[in-house]
Amino acid sequence: MKVGEIFPGLMPHVSDKETYSMINGNAEDTQYDPDYLVFGQFSAEGPLPGVRYVGEYVETGSQGEPVNLPVVSFLYHKIGPDGQLETQERVVIWRGVGYGTHPGHSGQEPTYYLSGSQIGAIDHATGRFSRLETEAQVIASKQFSIDCITDGPNETIVLANPA
């Protein structure tokens, strides 16, 4: 599956684009409060291969209206601090989509990135939470290359930030 098939409405905005920028949603930090986190039934399917929905986060919009943001999980193809491939799915409040050559992913071709705040982790083998933020706090937004998502949309997986 090609990335253009996943985000077809976004493709006209990225032709020949190299410099990284947000093309949908935003990359804002999340003013996190666990009371606004709603978990649904875990789904094997999500917005793209390798990513599944686990719930939603409800925050207040600029006009005081509720804004529902998807909470997704995915296994990121990255070497952890122990020198091994990660085995914990990242749980992320998904805020937007970016595209281009991201400065945090040196050497990687321009691609799409999921933008969001990581609020926890799920053990990939058991499907159970291994960590979840339980305190209200500001959580920085990060950019996750879809090329580095295990079982993701691209046939060739890229190791995130190889040392």
Side-chain angles (χ1 to χ4, degrees):
M1 178 177 285
K2 295 185 178 179
V3 173
E5 295 170 359
I6 299 165
F7 299 116
L10 302 178
M11 286 307 287
H13 304 289
V14 299
S15 60
D16 300 324
K17 188 174 195 168
E18 291 281 329
T19 304
Y20 180 80
S21 65
M22 293 300 298
I23 56 174
N24 186 279
N26 63 61
E28 295 174 6
D29 295 345
T30 300
Q31 192 72 35
Y32 178 73
D33 185 333
D35 291 340
Y36 297 101
L37 189 60
V38 179
F39 289 105
Q41 183 174 0
F42 285 86
S43 170
E45 297 194 22
L48 64 153
V51 178
R52 63 184 176 147
Y53 288 114
V54 296
E56 63 184 17
Y57 184 75
V58 183
E59 66 180 18
T60 304
S62 60
Q63 304 297 318
E65 76 284 6
V67 176
N68 295 346
L69 298 171
V71 177
V72 298
S73 72
F74 52 87
L75 186 58
Y76 211 50
H77 192 67
K78 184 174 182 177
I79 302 295
D82 61 357
Q84 303 295 313
L85 283 174
E86 292 184 357
T87 60
Q88 303 294 306
E89 293 181 25
R90 294 163 183 246
V91 177
V92 175
I93 298 172
W94 185 12
R95 302 191 70 84
V97 176
Y99 183 85
T101 303
H102 193 279
H105 287 258
S106 62
Q108 192 171 337
E109 295 293 318
T111 193
Y112 287 94
Y113 289 82
L114 301 183
S115 175
S117 299
Q118 184 174 344
I119 60 168
I122 294 175
D123 183 283
H124 189 68
T126 66
R128 298 179 192 269
F129 277 93
S130 57
R131 185 178 63 79
L132 184 64
E133 297 295 341
T134 59
E135 301 292 324
Q137 62 188 291
V138 174
I139 300 180
S141 185
K142 297 179 182 180
Q143 313 308 306
F144 303 96
S145 167
I146 67 163
D147 293 347
C148 302
I149 294 174
T150 301
D151 298 325
N154 295 334
E155 291 179 16
T156 304
I157 192 168
V158 174
L159 184 63
N161 303 330

mmCIF file of all heavy atoms in Angstrom, residues 81-113:
data_model
loop_
_atom_site.group_PDB
_atom_site.id
_atom_site.type_symbol
_atom_site.label_atom_id
_atom_site.label_comp_id
_atom_site.label_asym_id
_atom_site.label_seq_id
_atom_site.Cartn_x
_atom_site.Cartn_y
_atom_site.Cartn_z
ATOM 1 N N PRO A 81 16.533 1.693 25.031
ATOM 2 C CA PRO A 81 17.712 1.959 25.851
ATOM 3 C C PRO A 81 18.493 0.702 26.216
ATOM 4 O O PRO A 81 19.676 0.764 26.532
ATOM 5 C CB PRO A 81 17.163 2.634 27.107
ATOM 6 C CG PRO A 81 15.703 2.723 26.956
ATOM 7 C CD PRO A 81 15.297 2.118 25.669
ATOM 8 N N ASP A 82 17.816 -0.469 26.125
ATOM 9 C CA ASP A 82 18.488 -1.731 26.452
ATOM 10 C C ASP A 82 19.239 -2.315 25.253
ATOM 11 O O ASP A 82 19.815 -3.392 25.341
ATOM 12 C CB ASP A 82 17.480 -2.751 26.976
ATOM 13 C CG ASP A 82 16.394 -3.080 25.955
ATOM 14 O OD1 ASP A 82 16.373 -2.485 24.850
ATOM 15 O OD2 ASP A 82 15.552 -3.944 26.260
ATOM 16 N N GLY A 83 19.210 -1.592 24.115
ATOM 17 C CA GLY A 83 19.908 -2.069 22.926
ATOM 18 C C GLY A 83 19.110 -3.058 22.090
ATOM 19 O O GLY A 83 19.620 -3.590 21.107
ATOM 20 N N GLN A 84 17.877 -3.332 22.482
ATOM 21 C CA GLN A 84 17.007 -4.273 21.766
ATOM 22 C C GLN A 84 15.873 -3.502 21.076
ATOM 23 O O GLN A 84 15.566 -2.377 21.450
ATOM 24 C CB GLN A 84 16.396 -5.278 22.754
ATOM 25 C CG GLN A 84 17.411 -6.062 23.550
ATOM 26 C CD GLN A 84 18.257 -6.961 22.666
ATOM 27 O OE1 GLN A 84 17.739 -7.668 21.814
ATOM 28 N NE2 GLN A 84 19.568 -6.918 22.854
ATOM 29 N N LEU A 85 15.235 -4.153 20.093
ATOM 30 C CA LEU A 85 14.067 -3.542 19.476
ATOM 31 C C LEU A 85 12.970 -3.369 20.513
ATOM 32 O O LEU A 85 12.789 -4.230 21.383
ATOM 33 C CB LEU A 85 13.542 -4.400 18.322
ATOM 34 C CG LEU A 85 14.326 -4.327 17.017
ATOM 35 C CD1 LEU A 85 13.761 -5.342 16.026
ATOM 36 C CD2 LEU A 85 14.284 -2.923 16.423
ATOM 37 N N GLU A 86 12.243 -2.274 20.431
ATOM 38 C CA GLU A 86 11.153 -2.033 21.363
ATOM 39 C C GLU A 86 10.088 -3.117 21.243
ATOM 40 O O GLU A 86 9.807 -3.602 20.145
ATOM 41 C CB GLU A 86 10.512 -0.667 21.090
ATOM 42 C CG GLU A 86 11.418 0.495 21.408
ATOM 43 C CD GLU A 86 10.737 1.845 21.232
ATOM 44 O OE1 GLU A 86 9.555 1.904 20.807
ATOM 45 O OE2 GLU A 86 11.386 2.852 21.516
ATOM 46 N N THR A 87 9.495 -3.468 22.369
ATOM 47 C CA THR A 87 8.412 -4.453 22.394
ATOM 48 C C THR A 87 7.144 -3.852 22.994
ATOM 49 O O THR A 87 6.162 -4.558 23.186
ATOM 50 C CB THR A 87 8.814 -5.703 23.206
ATOM 51 O OG1 THR A 87 9.117 -5.290 24.545
ATOM 52 C CG2 THR A 87 10.010 -6.399 22.584
ATOM 53 N N GLN A 88 7.183 -2.580 23.307
ATOM 54 C CA GLN A 88 6.035 -1.887 23.875
ATOM 55 C C GLN A 88 5.414 -0.983 22.807
ATOM 56 O O GLN A 88 6.116 -0.175 22.207
ATOM 57 C CB GLN A 88 6.452 -1.026 25.075
ATOM 58 C CG GLN A 88 7.151 -1.788 26.171
ATOM 59 C CD GLN A 88 6.236 -2.792 26.829
ATOM 60 O OE1 GLN A 88 5.157 -2.448 27.295
ATOM 61 N NE2 GLN A 88 6.663 -4.045 26.863
ATOM 62 N N GLU A 89 4.119 -1.145 22.568
ATOM 63 C CA GLU A 89 3.429 -0.242 21.646
ATOM 64 C C GLU A 89 3.311 1.120 22.325
ATOM 65 O O GLU A 89 3.005 1.207 23.507
ATOM 66 C CB GLU A 89 2.015 -0.748 21.342
ATOM 67 C CG GLU A 89 1.973 -2.017 20.558
ATOM 68 C CD GLU A 89 0.553 -2.469 20.262
ATOM 69 O OE1 GLU A 89 -0.364 -1.625 20.233
ATOM 70 O OE2 GLU A 89 0.370 -3.682 20.073
ATOM 71 N N ARG A 90 3.542 2.146 21.570
ATOM 72 C CA ARG A 90 3.373 3.495 22.092
ATOM 73 C C ARG A 90 1.888 3.843 22.043
ATOM 74 O O ARG A 90 1.219 3.540 21.064
ATOM 75 C CB ARG A 90 4.176 4.475 21.255
ATOM 76 C CG ARG A 90 5.681 4.226 21.398
ATOM 77 C CD ARG A 90 6.458 4.884 20.281
ATOM 78 N NE ARG A 90 7.854 4.558 20.415
ATOM 79 C CZ ARG A 90 8.802 5.458 20.698
ATOM 80 N NH1 ARG A 90 8.482 6.721 20.864
ATOM 81 N NH2 ARG A 90 10.051 5.081 20.807
ATOM 82 N N VAL A 91 1.385 4.471 23.088
ATOM 83 C CA VAL A 91 0.002 4.939 23.134
ATOM 84 C C VAL A 91 0.057 6.461 23.004
ATOM 85 O O VAL A 91 0.678 7.134 23.826
ATOM 86 C CB VAL A 91 -0.703 4.513 24.438
ATOM 87 C CG1 VAL A 91 -2.116 5.081 24.495
ATOM 88 C CG2 VAL A 91 -0.719 2.999 24.559
ATOM 89 N N VAL A 92 -0.577 6.973 21.951
ATOM 90 C CA VAL A 92 -0.402 8.373 21.569
ATOM 91 C C VAL A 92 -1.751 9.046 21.340
ATOM 92 O O VAL A 92 -2.622 8.482 20.671
ATOM 93 C CB VAL A 92 0.449 8.451 20.268
ATOM 94 C CG1 VAL A 92 0.553 9.875 19.752
ATOM 95 C CG2 VAL A 92 1.831 7.863 20.499
ATOM 96 N N ILE A 93 -1.897 10.255 21.891
ATOM 97 C CA ILE A 93 -3.033 11.106 21.522
ATOM 98 C C ILE A 93 -2.658 11.726 20.189
ATOM 99 O O ILE A 93 -1.719 12.520 20.100
ATOM 100 C CB ILE A 93 -3.292 12.196 22.573
ATOM 101 C CG1 ILE A 93 -3.648 11.564 23.912
ATOM 102 C CG2 ILE A 93 -4.390 13.144 22.089
ATOM 103 C CD1 ILE A 93 -3.723 12.557 25.061
ATOM 104 N N TRP A 94 -3.356 11.329 19.127
ATOM 105 C CA TRP A 94 -3.001 11.733 17.767
ATOM 106 C C TRP A 94 -3.601 13.097 17.461
ATOM 107 O O TRP A 94 -4.795 13.277 17.434
ATOM 108 C CB TRP A 94 -3.499 10.682 16.788
ATOM 109 C CG TRP A 94 -3.105 10.901 15.375
ATOM 110 C CD1 TRP A 94 -2.189 11.770 14.903
ATOM 111 C CD2 TRP A 94 -3.622 10.220 14.239
ATOM 112 N NE1 TRP A 94 -2.082 11.678 13.536
ATOM 113 C CE2 TRP A 94 -2.963 10.728 13.116
ATOM 114 C CE3 TRP A 94 -4.588 9.227 14.070
ATOM 115 C CZ2 TRP A 94 -3.235 10.283 11.833
ATOM 116 C CZ3 TRP A 94 -4.845 8.786 12.791
ATOM 117 C CH2 TRP A 94 -4.177 9.304 11.694
ATOM 118 N N ARG A 95 -2.711 14.075 17.197
ATOM 119 C CA ARG A 95 -3.133 15.448 16.967
ATOM 120 C C ARG A 95 -3.097 15.868 15.501
ATOM 121 O O ARG A 95 -3.779 16.809 15.114
ATOM 122 C CB ARG A 95 -2.271 16.399 17.783
ATOM 123 C CG ARG A 95 -2.307 16.112 19.275
ATOM 124 C CD ARG A 95 -1.666 17.218 20.064
ATOM 125 N NE ARG A 95 -2.486 18.399 20.022
ATOM 126 C CZ ARG A 95 -3.514 18.641 20.829
ATOM 127 N NH1 ARG A 95 -3.837 17.766 21.755
ATOM 128 N NH2 ARG A 95 -4.213 19.736 20.732
ATOM 129 N N GLY A 96 -2.242 15.237 14.689
ATOM 130 C CA GLY A 96 -2.145 15.685 13.306
ATOM 131 C C GLY A 96 -1.203 14.845 12.472
ATOM 132 O O GLY A 96 -0.665 13.830 12.925
ATOM 133 N N VAL A 97 -1.008 15.315 11.226
ATOM 134 C CA VAL A 97 -0.144 14.646 10.260
ATOM 135 C C VAL A 97 0.816 15.685 9.685
ATOM 136 O O VAL A 97 0.404 16.776 9.286
ATOM 137 C CB VAL A 97 -0.973 14.027 9.106
ATOM 138 C CG1 VAL A 97 -0.068 13.416 8.056
ATOM 139 C CG2 VAL A 97 -1.946 12.994 9.647
ATOM 140 N N GLY A 98 2.087 15.320 9.649
ATOM 141 C CA GLY A 98 3.096 16.169 9.026
ATOM 142 C C GLY A 98 3.713 15.444 7.846
ATOM 143 O O GLY A 98 3.530 14.228 7.684
ATOM 144 N N TYR A 99 4.443 16.184 7.029
ATOM 145 C CA TYR A 99 5.110 15.571 5.889
ATOM 146 C C TYR A 99 6.396 16.330 5.595
ATOM 147 O O TYR A 99 6.467 17.547 5.754
ATOM 148 C CB TYR A 99 4.227 15.599 4.638
ATOM 149 C CG TYR A 99 4.885 14.912 3.467
ATOM 150 C CD1 TYR A 99 4.786 13.534 3.311
ATOM 151 C CD2 TYR A 99 5.651 15.619 2.550
ATOM 152 C CE1 TYR A 99 5.414 12.885 2.261
ATOM 153 C CE2 TYR A 99 6.289 14.979 1.503
ATOM 154 C CZ TYR A 99 6.163 13.618 1.367
ATOM 155 O OH TYR A 99 6.797 12.975 0.337
ATOM 156 N N GLY A 100 7.408 15.598 5.147
ATOM 157 C CA GLY A 100 8.663 16.204 4.711
ATOM 158 C C GLY A 100 9.853 15.484 5.301
ATOM 159 O O GLY A 100 9.749 14.357 5.784
ATOM 160 N N THR A 101 10.999 16.150 5.252
ATOM 161 C CA THR A 101 12.223 15.636 5.844
ATOM 162 C C THR A 101 12.293 16.203 7.256
ATOM 163 O O THR A 101 12.500 17.394 7.434
ATOM 164 C CB THR A 101 13.452 16.072 5.020
ATOM 165 O OG1 THR A 101 13.288 15.615 3.687
ATOM 166 C CG2 THR A 101 14.728 15.504 5.600
ATOM 167 N N HIS A 102 12.113 15.341 8.243
ATOM 168 C CA HIS A 102 12.067 15.801 9.635
ATOM 169 C C HIS A 102 13.478 15.884 10.199
ATOM 170 O O HIS A 102 14.258 14.935 10.066
ATOM 171 C CB HIS A 102 11.212 14.849 10.465
ATOM 172 C CG HIS A 102 10.860 15.408 11.798
ATOM 173 N ND1 HIS A 102 11.725 15.377 12.866
ATOM 174 C CD2 HIS A 102 9.732 16.023 12.228
ATOM 175 C CE1 HIS A 102 11.154 15.951 13.900
ATOM 176 N NE2 HIS A 102 9.940 16.351 13.541
ATOM 177 N N PRO A 103 13.829 16.990 10.854
ATOM 178 C CA PRO A 103 15.187 17.129 11.399
ATOM 179 C C PRO A 103 15.536 16.083 12.451
ATOM 180 O O PRO A 103 16.707 15.771 12.650
ATOM 181 C CB PRO A 103 15.188 18.538 12.006
ATOM 182 C CG PRO A 103 13.769 18.968 12.078
ATOM 183 C CD PRO A 103 12.995 18.164 11.089
ATOM 184 N N GLY A 104 14.542 15.492 13.116
ATOM 185 C CA GLY A 104 14.800 14.476 14.126
ATOM 186 C C GLY A 104 15.014 13.089 13.545
ATOM 187 O O GLY A 104 15.294 12.145 14.270
ATOM 188 N N HIS A 105 14.864 12.956 12.235
ATOM 189 C CA HIS A 105 15.042 11.660 11.574
ATOM 190 C C HIS A 105 16.072 11.829 10.455
ATOM 191 O O HIS A 105 15.758 11.685 9.275
ATOM 192 C CB HIS A 105 13.703 11.160 11.005
ATOM 193 C CG HIS A 105 12.767 10.691 12.064
ATOM 194 N ND1 HIS A 105 12.570 9.361 12.334
ATOM 195 C CD2 HIS A 105 11.998 11.373 12.941
ATOM 196 C CE1 HIS A 105 11.701 9.240 13.314
ATOM 197 N NE2 HIS A 105 11.335 10.447 13.703
ATOM 198 N N SER A 106 17.299 12.122 10.839
ATOM 199 C CA SER A 106 18.346 12.398 9.862
ATOM 200 C C SER A 106 18.559 11.224 8.915
ATOM 201 O O SER A 106 18.543 10.064 9.326
ATOM 202 C CB SER A 106 19.658 12.741 10.571
ATOM 203 O OG SER A 106 20.099 11.652 11.335
ATOM 204 N N GLY A 107 18.699 11.543 7.647
ATOM 205 C CA GLY A 107 18.950 10.535 6.631
ATOM 206 C C GLY A 107 17.711 9.871 6.073
ATOM 207 O O GLY A 107 17.791 9.125 5.110
ATOM 208 N N GLN A 108 16.555 10.112 6.652
ATOM 209 C CA GLN A 108 15.321 9.493 6.177
ATOM 210 C C GLN A 108 14.705 10.347 5.064
ATOM 211 O O GLN A 108 14.723 11.565 5.122
ATOM 212 C CB GLN A 108 14.337 9.342 7.333
ATOM 213 C CG GLN A 108 13.156 8.462 7.008
ATOM 214 C CD GLN A 108 12.304 8.151 8.234
ATOM 215 O OE1 GLN A 108 12.770 8.220 9.361
ATOM 216 N NE2 GLN A 108 11.064 7.819 7.997
ATOM 217 N N GLU A 109 14.179 9.672 4.063
ATOM 218 C CA GLU A 109 13.515 10.352 2.956
ATOM 219 C C GLU A 109 12.274 11.092 3.454
ATOM 220 O O GLU A 109 11.729 10.749 4.499
ATOM 221 C CB GLU A 109 13.094 9.323 1.896
ATOM 222 C CG GLU A 109 14.258 8.632 1.220
ATOM 223 C CD GLU A 109 15.081 9.580 0.363
ATOM 224 O OE1 GLU A 109 14.484 10.426 -0.348
ATOM 225 O OE2 GLU A 109 16.320 9.485 0.417
ATOM 226 N N PRO A 110 11.794 12.092 2.707
ATOM 227 C CA PRO A 110 10.545 12.760 3.107
ATOM 228 C C PRO A 110 9.426 11.733 3.229
ATOM 229 O O PRO A 110 9.304 10.831 2.407
ATOM 230 C CB PRO A 110 10.264 13.710 1.941
ATOM 231 C CG PRO A 110 11.571 13.918 1.269
ATOM 232 C CD PRO A 110 12.343 12.639 1.466
ATOM 233 N N THR A 111 8.652 11.844 4.282
ATOM 234 C CA THR A 111 7.556 10.903 4.526
ATOM 235 C C THR A 111 6.520 11.562 5.416
ATOM 236 O O THR A 111 6.683 12.702 5.856
ATOM 237 C CB THR A 111 8.087 9.602 5.176
ATOM 238 O OG1 THR A 111 7.064 8.614 5.117
ATOM 239 C CG2 THR A 111 8.538 9.820 6.602
ATOM 240 N N TYR A 112 5.462 10.816 5.701
ATOM 241 C CA TYR A 112 4.418 11.273 6.615
ATOM 242 C C TYR A 112 4.806 10.963 8.050
ATOM 243 O O TYR A 112 5.498 9.980 8.323
ATOM 244 C CB TYR A 112 3.103 10.554 6.319
ATOM 245 C CG TYR A 112 2.441 11.018 5.060
ATOM 246 C CD1 TYR A 112 2.652 10.355 3.868
ATOM 247 C CD2 TYR A 112 1.588 12.117 5.070
ATOM 248 C CE1 TYR A 112 2.038 10.778 2.698
ATOM 249 C CE2 TYR A 112 0.962 12.544 3.908
ATOM 250 C CZ TYR A 112 1.191 11.870 2.728
ATOM 251 O OH TYR A 112 0.594 12.281 1.587
ATOM 252 N N TYR A 113 4.328 11.798 8.960
ATOM 253 C CA TYR A 113 4.562 11.630 10.391
ATOM 254 C C TYR A 113 3.243 11.795 11.132
ATOM 255 O O TYR A 113 2.456 12.683 10.804
ATOM 256 C CB TYR A 113 5.542 12.691 10.922
ATOM 257 C CG TYR A 113 6.946 12.465 10.455
ATOM 258 C CD1 TYR A 113 7.358 12.889 9.194
ATOM 259 C CD2 TYR A 113 7.873 11.818 11.263
ATOM 260 C CE1 TYR A 113 8.649 12.667 8.746
ATOM 261 C CE2 TYR A 113 9.168 11.594 10.822
ATOM 262 C CZ TYR A 113 9.551 12.017 9.563
ATOM 263 O OH TYR A 113 10.824 11.794 9.126
#
